Amino acid sequence: MGIKPGLAVIIVGDDPASQVYVRNKERACEECGIYSEKYALDASTTQEELLSLIEELNNKKSISGILVQLPVPDHIDEEKIIEAINPRKDVDAFHPINVGKIMTGNYDFVPCTPAGVMELIKESGIDVCGKECVVVGRSNIVGKPQAMLLLHNNGTVTICHSKTKDLKEKTKKADILVAAVGIPNFITGDMIKEGAVVIDVGINRLENKKLCGDVEFESAEKVAGAITPVPGGVGPMTVAMLMKNTVRAAVINKSK
Ligand code: L34
């Protein structure tokens, strides 16, 4: 059909974790045969410079998806950057138009991390319908869209966060527990219901450089019916869903 997906990934500054994630995204593009361009910009790049690069990519035919790796340096307004991306090329689904579409359930793109979580659940043969789902964390990138996706799949969803009272009482009720708080080993085995599905979105770097999730794996795996590891769990799924969104973007941009 002559559809050729192309992804542009922009990274500003030299955050080591972001560099790893971007490298994994580039590698995935190669493996899938998706054309990609990487823009590694200096930390001192101005907001105007970044905006003009986005504008250029918005108009570039060979690019179907644009991703600005977050976080961006403090002097750049993240919201302005996200809003500058053409919503039809917004493979992260962070643009307010795409966020709104996720609310209504009529969406082109699903944010990569929550989409990856849903894929893991489905591929494991777990039915969300009617289940008690507890999402710990309320970020725009993970917690909020995750709750919406579980809701669209007919889960009964509770969102917990740092101000939640009696957190353990809530998490203990979960058939499906998604941890996305960014605090190492925050969810311990005693907070988990016997047989629950536990999905660990956290990727925390400890002082000894080791990666660990938001779930204390050792105590959690003893009670959970199914549990995702860190690394090797949600992270690679995020990258896989980005590939899917890039192909989707190519189709959308071709037909409009
Ligand atoms: N714009 N910014 C934008 N889009 C995104 O979807 C992201 N995210 C999060 C951070 N900022 C973003 C990612 O790409 C997190 N994230 C991400 C991507 C890939 C991996 C983890 C997080 C990943 O590949 N994780 C591997 C190994 C990680 C490592 O060795 O450090 C894993 O096995 O978990």
Side-chain angles (χ1 to χ4, degrees), residues 9-10 15-25 66-72 82 85 90-94 111-114 141-142 200-203 205 209 211 229-240 242:
V9 178
I10 305 172
D15 177 64
S18 295
Q19 285 174 337
V20 173
Y21 304 156
V22 166
R23 204 177 311 132
N24 290 350
K25 290 172 184 186
I66 303 169
L67 180 148
V68 180
Q69 188 71 21
L70 300 178
V72 286
I82 290 170
I85 297 171
D90 173 34
V91 283
D92 270 326
F94 291 167
C112 301
T113 300
I141 296 184
V142 183
D200 192 350
V201 177
I203 302 191
R205 280 179 161 71
K209 296 249 163 85
L211 290 183
V230 176
V234 173
M237 290 305 293
T238 298
V239 177
L242 174 64

Side-chain angles (χ1 to χ4, degrees), residues 47 70-84 94 140-141:
Q47 180 165 302
L70 300 178
V72 286
D74 287 345
H75 67 276
I76 295 175
D77 182 345
E78 182 181 298
E79 219 171 300
K80 279 223 170 71
I81 298 306
I82 290 170
E83 287 181 17
F94 291 167
N140 288 330
I141 296 184

Side-chain angles (χ1 to χ4, degrees), residues 74-127:
D74 287 345
H75 67 276
I76 295 175
D77 182 345
E78 182 181 298
E79 219 171 300
K80 279 223 170 71
I81 298 306
I82 290 170
E83 287 181 17
I85 297 171
N86 178 344
R88 284 199 273 142
K89 294 192 174 187
D90 173 34
V91 283
D92 270 326
F94 291 167
H95 190 286
I97 289 202
N98 291 320
V99 174
K101 286 184 170 191
I102 290 156
M103 264 317 239
T104 61
N106 167 30
Y107 38 78
D108 300 313
F109 302 117
V110 188
C112 301
T113 300
V117 170
M118 297 312 290
E119 200 69 24
L120 280 171
I121 293 174
K122 278 184 198 157
E123 281 294 313
S124 308
I126 294 153
D127 188 9

Side-chain angles (χ1 to χ4, degrees), residues 61-210:
K61 282 255 162 11
S62 57
I63 293 299
S64 20
I66 303 169
L67 180 148
V68 180
Q69 188 71 21
L70 300 178
V72 286
D74 287 345
H75 67 276
I76 295 175
D77 182 345
E78 182 181 298
E79 219 171 300
K80 279 223 170 71
I81 298 306
I82 290 170
E83 287 181 17
I85 297 171
N86 178 344
R88 284 199 273 142
K89 294 192 174 187
D90 173 34
V91 283
D92 270 326
F94 291 167
H95 190 286
I97 289 202
N98 291 320
V99 174
K101 286 184 170 191
I102 290 156
M103 264 317 239
T104 61
N106 167 30
Y107 38 78
D108 300 313
F109 302 117
V110 188
C112 301
T113 300
V117 170
M118 297 312 290
E119 200 69 24
L120 280 171
I121 293 174
K122 278 184 198 157
E123 281 294 313
S124 308
I126 294 153
D127 188 9
V128 175
C129 186
K131 297 269 163 63
E132 288 292 335
C133 305
V134 174
V135 178
V136 188
R138 55 172 155 179
S139 69
N140 288 330
I141 296 184
V142 183
K144 285 188 217 170
Q146 187 70 69
M148 275 299 137
L149 297 185
L150 290 162
L151 183 61
H152 292 326
N153 281 270
N154 300 314
T156 303
V157 184
T158 304
I159 306 177
C160 298
H161 46 80
S162 54
K163 303 284 188 295
T164 297
K165 288 197 186 113
D166 303 323
L167 178 67
K168 181 175 165 180
E169 180 206 334
K170 312 265 189 309
T171 57
K172 264 266 184 199
K173 293 211 169 86
D175 301 312
I176 298 173
L177 180 62
V178 180
V181 274
I183 303 172
N185 301 321
F186 185 70
I187 304 286
T188 44
D190 59 315
M191 300 167 77
I192 298 168
K193 178 174 158 178
E194 187 77 38
V197 174
V198 179
I199 310 221
D200 192 350
V201 177
I203 302 191
N204 308 292
R205 280 179 161 71
L206 301 178
E207 270 172 34
N208 61 7
K209 296 249 163 85
K210 272 189 103 176

